[in-house]
Amino acid sequence: MTHKPQRPQPVPTAETRPFWEGAAEGALVLRRCQGCGRLAPPLAPRCPDCLCDTLLAERLSGRVMLKGRTRLHLQPLPGRTGPLTLVECAVFEDPRIVLIALDEQGVTDGALPDAILHLGFSPAEGDAHFAVVLPPEDRA
Ligand SMILES: [Zn+2]
């Protein structure tokens, strides 16, 4: 019997729980500041602009803009063999928020900076669903 190494699992916190719950439903969920209206990155304990700590979860479009990509040829994750492409994506609703996703289907091959992509989430790996960029036919 072989043990397949598993991708490290996130441990949701009060700040990140809405993001991971949204991911399980295939949706990008961030929290919006009720003081000034800014979206907050998943890890932010309070609004980065006005420091208000009343942030409410909001389901976003999932549209993102390509900001960078890195091709990893060494073993990128436990249980995975390379190469694997990591993509930096700026959230369309607030490009100051940049998320990292996997491109497992070559969606960004040949894509130009600021190309509009759609962020989705993988089937569960352990208990978590991780961000991936989706090919056009999978867009919701
Ligand atoms: Zn604010």
Side-chain angles (χ1 to χ4, degrees):
M1 185 175 190
T2 57
H3 170 71
K4 184 181 178 198
Q6 188 181 49
R7 186 170 174 172
Q9 298 290 296
V11 178
T13 63
E15 291 81 15
T16 63
R17 185 164 286 108
F19 177 85
W20 292 114
E21 289 176 353
E25 297 174 2
L28 175 59
V29 173
L30 295 178
R31 293 164 302 134
R32 187 176 294 281
C33 174
Q34 299 304 292
C36 73
R38 182 190 168 155
L39 284 170
L43 291 172
R46 52 186 62 239
C47 175
D49 281 357
C50 75
L51 304 182
C52 175
D53 62 2
T54 304
L55 303 170
L56 294 182
E58 181 175 313
R59 184 178 291 237
L60 303 177
S61 68
R63 281 193 302 167
V64 293
M65 291 171 285
L66 177 62
K67 291 298 175 186
R69 65 194 295 273
T70 302
R71 189 101 168 131
L72 298 175
H73 292 270
L74 300 174
Q75 183 182 22
L77 290 168
R80 299 278 182 87
T81 55
L84 197 63
T85 304
L86 290 176
V87 180
E88 288 179 88
C89 305
V91 174
F92 190 80
E93 287 87 348
D94 187 339
R96 294 174 293 186
I97 300 173
V98 175
L99 304 174
I100 305 297
L102 287 179
D103 179 359
E104 296 183 305
Q105 300 179 55
V107 175
T108 59
D109 291 350
L112 296 173
D114 291 333
I116 300 294
L117 304 169
H118 194 83
L119 196 70
F121 291 87
S122 67
E125 294 182 58
D127 293 330
H129 300 257
F130 294 97
V132 295
V133 288
L134 297 176
E137 61 269 21
D138 287 352
R139 289 181 190 169

